[in-house]
């Protein structure tokens, strides 16, 4: 069969196939599911950050109208620990004992007939604590520190020696604030037991992992747990772990012997589903006078809960981005009495990129070299660590095309020199290297007698466009119309798929679909192998193509027949084939990465300190673009998050109590339309040679690099270098 190289369906901006269902309210999100006898549960959270519960009084709450039960560590059955998932250990199991590890820890769950009754009764749970002094603050000398926690530290050449002898040395520290994932859809779980079988509707980016976790915690075979998430109101990494409230919903449902729904409140979203860890970094660069990097030394420290683990290394791409012979990276985690951090779009890498791309900008001024030119002088022609060629790399085009579109030539290199009225104008740029990978994934395609195809897998569409690109790809590979393909995903009972996270699902899922489509065509050819009535008999998959609902000979397209004809003649209702992708980061002969460059113009009111993002141009190399619309939408969303990180977002932990001081949309600022200019997204590059369909991940490269580009532009406008995020009005005044 042909690969989908030349085609009409792929690449064009096909509308989201799930769009009509979403805008008419027909798409069911996890909290939309209901059952007869559904009960409602509300979580009670700790109001101290460290210590123990000495007494928990639930009598009043239990006696309140409509209450079915109140569960605490006192009366909870013992639950097993969650498993170690492919992305690391589970969060601590809830209700293990009376210890409090962070403010906002779930300490009770109140189940009632209605949401209102549960909410009211939750207020009368009375708790006495034995408080101890919480360990708070990333610089706290009492905090336990984990060094090289992931074993990912890199040592290439001799960075110390190269720094000692470098012509130019740069050495600065950076700080980024904690940030909270705030998907619009409040995370919710609906749990329903039928005897020993558990069905859960859950806001997750990874139903197979939630199934694995619930099976381990409740000691069930995985086949007795089903996790459903056909639609999700955003995730941004928050749905990459099975959080304690998911376990508590299932526990509550078991104890009251009724289906139970838990919906987090917005403030609870800040303590229950992870957040981007706070960071501190030190970057040292050694360079020649003409701007060739001889050394990079990058230390990254991020925060962690006291009994949790999280794998989001800040320094992960530091060794891959530039051709530098001597690189050392150092990773640290600091344990604090805070709710577990977790993945938030581009986790770790966003923070690391901010420091490295700011440092290069500073170096460019010191050397008097254009910032883009400095990056090109250190261009990684091959993967700098492995020496392997890139499976594709259009980063040079990202810089060239982006600079043209942005009109970078108009930039006067002199700091503070560009003005418009009372606005100080600044231009800034940053580069992005973001490794792409393929995770194990399966997909099953069935072609039915009426010539339509059904694709099934446990993948998810978290708003990214999985339904749409899987439809396009299948239609293209099998020669069908968009309307002839149906996608069924978001169900852990379907063939296993990895997380929609780490920008890896599109690559993994597409590779599995590609494999399944190939196997399906082979199955049709096998069926007609000896069929005298078939013009396809005796042909191999490489001899045929698929178009207009039929399989045809490549050398004679008129010779062929439709899926419907073949199935009818053989009295079959359908043919099904499975496909799979395996875990790979490259074929071993190449390294795969997506690339981007972001260009930002800022305007700063010199009297008021107002910072406006005036223009953004983002050039993206994500290989072949399967859908111009959904891909652009991913990048725009990422850039908006980057603007939030650079200028607004900060989760504030009160230094004495560990309480999050701004856990509402009134207090935690995220960009609104007035903060966001038109974002110009340009895709460069071509099909990647690793992915069988030519793509690379693009879910995160929109956000990576934006914060540095903004900070670099602010410096260009004002001469003030911000190495700490967010850059706020009070600092600019
Ligand atoms: Mo993401 S943080 O890869 O959902």
């Amino acid at each position: 069969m042909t690969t989908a190289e030349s085609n009409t369906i792929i690449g064009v901006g096909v509308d989201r196939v799930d769009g009509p269902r979403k805008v008419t309210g027909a798409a069911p999100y996890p909290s939309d599911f209901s059952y007869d006898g559904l009960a409602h549960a509300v979580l009670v959270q700790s109001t101290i950050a460290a210590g123990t519960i000495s007494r928990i009084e639930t009598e009043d709450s239990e006696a309140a109208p409509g209450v079915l039960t109140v569960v605490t560590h006192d009366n909870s059955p013992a639950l097993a620990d969650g498993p170690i998932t492919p992305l690391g250990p589970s969060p601590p199991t809830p209700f293990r004992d009376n210890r409090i590890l962070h403010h906002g820890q779930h300490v009770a769950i109140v189940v009632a007939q209605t949401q209102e009754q549960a909410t009211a009764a939750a207020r009368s749970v009375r708790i006495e604590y034995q408080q101890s002094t919480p360990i708070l603050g990333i610089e706290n000398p009492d905090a336990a520190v984990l060094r090289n926690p992931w074993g990912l530290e890199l040592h290439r050449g001799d960075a110390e020696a190269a720094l000692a002898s470098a012509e130019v040395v740069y050495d600065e520290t950076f700080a980024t604030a904690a940030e909270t994932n705030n998907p619009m859809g409040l995370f919710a779980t609906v749990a329903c037991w039928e005897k020993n079988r558990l069905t859960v509707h859950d806001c997750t980016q990874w139903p197979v992992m939630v199934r694995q976790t619930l099976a381990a915690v409740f000691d069930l075979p995985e086949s007795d747990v089903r996790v459903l998430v056909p639609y999700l109101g955003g995730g941004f990494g928050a749905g990459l772990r099975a959080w304690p409230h998911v376990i508590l919903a299932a526990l509550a449902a078991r104890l009251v012997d009724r289906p139970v729904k838990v919906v987090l409140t917005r403030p609870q979203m800040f303590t229950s589903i992870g957040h981007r860890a706070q960071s501190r970094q030190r970057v040292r660069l050694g360079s020649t006078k003409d701007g060739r990097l001889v050394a990079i030394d990058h230390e990254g420290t991020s925060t962690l809960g006291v009994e949790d683990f999280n794998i989001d290394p800040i320094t992960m791409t530091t060794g891959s981005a530039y051709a530098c012979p001597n690189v050392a990276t150092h990773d640290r985690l600091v344990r604090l009495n805070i709710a577990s951090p977790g993945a938030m779009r581009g986790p770790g890498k966003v923070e690391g990129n901010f420091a490295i791309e700011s440092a290069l900008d500073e170096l460019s001024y010191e050397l008097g070299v254009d910032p883009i030119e400095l990056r090109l002088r250190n261009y990684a022609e091959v993967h700098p660590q492995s020496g392997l060629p890139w499976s594709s790399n259009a980063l040079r085009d990202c810089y060239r095309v982006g600079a043209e579109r942005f009109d970078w030539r108009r930039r006067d290199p002199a700091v503070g020199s560009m003005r418009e009225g009372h606005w100080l104008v600044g231009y800034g740029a940053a580069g992005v290297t973001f490794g792409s990978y393929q995770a194990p994934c399966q997909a099953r395609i069935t072609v039915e007698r009426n010539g339509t195809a059904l694709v099934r897998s446990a993948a998810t569409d978290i708003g990214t466009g999985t339904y749409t690109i899987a439809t396009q790809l299948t239609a293209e590979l099998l020669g069908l119309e968009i309307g002839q393909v149906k996608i069924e995903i978001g169900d852990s009972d379907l063939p296993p798929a990895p997380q929609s996270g780490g920008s890896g699902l599109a690559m993994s899922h597409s590779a599995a679909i590609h494999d399944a489509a190939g196997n399906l065509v082979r199955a049709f050819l096998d069926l007609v192998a000896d069929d005298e009535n078939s013009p396809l008999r005796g042909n191999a998959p490489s001899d045929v193509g698929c178009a207009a609902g039929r399989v045809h000979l490549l050398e004679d397209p008129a010779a062929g027949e439709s899926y419907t004809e073949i199935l009818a003649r053989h009295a079959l209702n359908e043919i099904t084939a499975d496909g799979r992708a395996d875990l790979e980061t490259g074929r071993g002969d190449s390294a795969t990465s997506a690339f981007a460059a972001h260009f930002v113009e800022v305007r700063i009111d010199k009297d008021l300190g107002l910072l406006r993002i005036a223009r953004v141009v983002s050039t993206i190399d994500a290989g072949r673009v399967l859908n111009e619309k959904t891909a652009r939408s991913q990048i725009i969303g990422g850039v908006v998050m980057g603007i939030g990180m650079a200028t607004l977002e900060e989760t504030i932990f009160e230094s004495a109590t560990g309480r999050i001081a701004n856990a509402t949309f009134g207090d935690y600022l995220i960009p609104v339309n007035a903060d966001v200019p038109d974002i110009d997204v340009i895709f460069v590059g071509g099909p990647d040679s690793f992915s069988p369909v030519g793509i690379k991940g693009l879910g995160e490269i929109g956000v990576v690099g934006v914060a540095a580009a903004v900070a670099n532009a602010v410096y260009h406008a004002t001469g003030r270098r911000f190495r700490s995020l967010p850059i706020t009005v009070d600092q600019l005044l």
Side-chain angles (χ1 to χ4, degrees), residues 181 205 235-238 240 343-347 462 500-503 700:
N181 307 23
Q205 295 167 236
F236 312 115
L240 292 176
M344 179 165 166
R345 211 172 195 175
I462 65 172
S500 182
S503 305
E700 295 168 289

